[in-house]
Amino acid sequence: MTALSRPGVRIAGFVAGLAVVFGVLFGIGQAVGPWDDDPQPTHGHSTEHDQGGAHG
Amino acid sequence: MTQSIADRELDLELIGMTCASCANRIERKLNKLDGVTATVNYATEQAHVEYDDGVTPDSLVEAVRAAGYDATPVVPPSPTPVVTDDEDPAPSRAEIELAELRQRLLVSAALTIPVIVLAMVPAWQFTYWQWLSLTLAAPVVVWGALPFHRAALATARHGTTTMDTLISIGTLAAFGWSIYALFWGTAGIPGMTHGFDLIASRGDGAGNIYLEAAAGVTTFLLAGRYFEKRSKLRAGDALRALAEVGAKDVTVLRDGREVTVPIGELQVGERFVVRPGEKIATDGVVVSGASAVDQSMITGESIPVEVTEGDTVVGGTVNAQGRLEVEAKAVGSDTALAHMAKMVADAQAGKAQVQRLADRVSSVFVPVVIAIAVGVLGFWLGVGGGITVALTAAVSVLVIACPCALGLATPTALMVGTGRGAQLGILLKGPEVLESTRRVDTVTLDKTGTVTTGEMSVTEVIAADGVDEADLLARAAAVEANSEHPIGKAVVRRAADLGIELPLTAEFRNLAGAGVTAFIDGLRVTVTGPRDVPVPLDEQMRKRIAEASDAGATPVVVTYLDAVAGVIVVSDTVKPTSAAAIAELKRMGLRPVLLTGDNEGAARHVAAQVGIDQVIADVTPEGKVAAIAKLQESGRVVAMVGDGVNDAAALASADLGLAMGTGTDVAIEAGDLTLVSGDLWAVVDAIALSRKTLATIKGNLFWAFAYNVAALPLAAAALLNPMMAGLAMALSSAFVVANSLRLRGFRSKRSSMTKAG
């Protein structure tokens, strides 16, 4: 049985791979950003309330 | 389906499969065992396993369990239907699962609709509406989507992923985020409202909820699963109908008494009674009585077939008229009906080459998609798009990527196509046959029994000068009535058709290999071949005999009073449908070739009648194989249509073998396709249906792939709302299933031509 055929090793390897992908893409995003062509939400989800009172 | 330890073959019923990736995973797990070759079919939810002595059925079941699923060996179909006191048989596991799924779908849909409506119509978003949405959506995501979560967890334990992983992660991500926003963010405060848009936009993630997406995706996917499962049950209807054709009870003759027993107790060699209107219990030979038998459920032919003593009858057909006593020749799994059911089941359980490609793609698809989703999340966070856009894009990617439609593309089309084929009397041996039908450009046809009826009939009666034609036929028929020879039977049949009364005969003798003779009214009457005529032939008779022989017919000479009284010409007749069917084959771009062991003259005569240009005559069974090989060497892709044992080798060597018969012949084992009706229109239908099935599979695969390829970038660019992604995905599965079900409407070319005519 090779190390790679063990489920635990494979899951750990996959998660590590995902972390690398996330990091690389996050870095690329930061490099090409910021995304500010639509700073005010004109559609989609919005809140119409006092957001300050929401935390708690 | 068989479970035979001696043959080391086993069919396993698989439990817990939810997508094509599951099927692929179980197949790989089984094939890893030494000495095991397994094929898993997602559509039938069965595995066909061939294994060595060192492997036990238990170890196969264990291997499936180790993969995170369950399995039970398939009980071989009972040769007889189990007779119970219950009018309604117990529902199958698939039916119970379908009922459970239906309940899950209905409850989820009832809870989801208000959640979606509230999310879509800001005007109806009353104070605390978001908390009602949470109350309604929670059971949907937790209980409704439980089959997805359970399957995802089972495979995750083994370090692998399936399409359920995508669905589970997608819905839980949307639901989890909503919980966070409601309890720890700003979405839970009284008076919060939000709109609904197909396209996501930047915003404050902690102020938004995705409950409509989580519940909506779950419900749409449950709907997709429900309709998929229901279509799988419906697609198997033809096979079940075939299995239910058989009789349940049989009236056996034991010690001269009629005893009704369950059909399972009937033994080969026993005699049984079939009354008018009853089903013939099993395959056998008529030993007493005469009747017309309706074979429509076996052959598709609507005209009843006359049977009398010595004729064979097929189990499952209906005795239309008289009482028959039949000696059982085959029972249980040896019957024609059981063979037909097995051939259909095998073809449905097999897997086309194209499907294997789709399976391989699916197995790498899931981890790649998870990586893309994580990458998309990272990118949108990095670029400053906000958590809403990032999460929306990532969840959309997970949901849209589910290749369910991909997994359904081949099995559904194959099941519906083979099922429809079975209804038309076309039995496919395996799905690889479909590919062959696409490539075939030449159809070689055996003559006797395929293009012609294989039954002799009188085509001409030539009386000598001064001899009455009816008298000639009456005397010849009277002598031949004592004979069992096909030519004799043809002469007798013709006399009977004309209503001629036969005189009495005496001292009948069979002249070995030459003919027959008997006395009528004290005069010797002889019927022989032209070579064995006991008196000289005049020039005119010689000429007529030569003409008949050249036309491929068989002339017999009748002599009495020491002179030739006349010649009766007998020939094998062309089936009435052959010419039209061959014209249709030509119209489909196929080149017909007549391949026969008969002489060139007979072959050319028949070929001219049906419109075949190329004739290969005077060939032995080995010669037929050589002729096909020669055609193949010249670049042709050859289909062979034959019916007899002598055609078996040619059927096996052709690129596509089409066996005509009742499902019991050696030819059927050698052929790829069996045509139950024995009519050349069945060849046309078989090729047309196979081509249509293949085209449907390819169409399904194209749309399933195109959908995923087109939708992924849209989802990654955050241009697709997760709920719309779920809806679109469910629609793609529904499209594939509906496209496959169109094959149920395939009409026989014969009926469409008849209508057109």
Side-chain angles (χ1 to χ4, degrees), chain B residues 413 695-697 699-700 703 734-744:
Chain B
T696 305
I697 289 174
N700 284 350
W703 286 111
F735 168 81
V736 162
V737 171
N739 195 34
S740 298
L741 285 174
R742 279 175 49 231
L743 286 169
R744 284 159 63 105

Side-chain angles (χ1 to χ4, degrees), chain A residues 5-8 10-11 14 17-19 21-23 25-56, chain B residues 156-160 183-186 189-197 199-202 204 207-210 212 367 370-371 374-385 388-389:
Chain A
S5 63
R6 289 199 187 98
R10 285 168 63 168
I11 293 169
F14 184 59
L18 290 180
V21 170
F22 182 85
L25 269 294
F26 187 83
I28 293 171
Q30 281 201 320
V32 299
W35 185 48
D36 58 357
D37 58 340
D38 186 14
Q40 296 301 318
T42 54
H43 49 227
H45 300 113
S46 62
T47 51
E48 293 176 7
H49 52 75
D50 179 11
Q51 295 191 3
H55 301 280
Chain B
R157 275 203 211 105
H158 297 90
T160 54
F183 285 94
W184 292 279
T186 58
I189 60 166
M192 186 279 279
T193 60
H194 72 62
F196 177 86
D197 208 334
I199 297 173
S201 63
R202 189 179 174 186
D204 176 13
N208 293 298
I209 54 175
Y210 291 93
E212 81 281 6
I370 292 175
V374 169
V376 164
L377 187 73
F379 177 82
W380 282 109
L381 287 175
V383 86
T388 306
V389 172

Side-chain angles (χ1 to χ4, degrees), chain B residues 720-733:
Chain B
L720 217 55
N721 180 294
M723 194 182 66
M724 297 313 292
L727 174 65
M729 197 190 66
L731 285 177
S732 81
S733 289

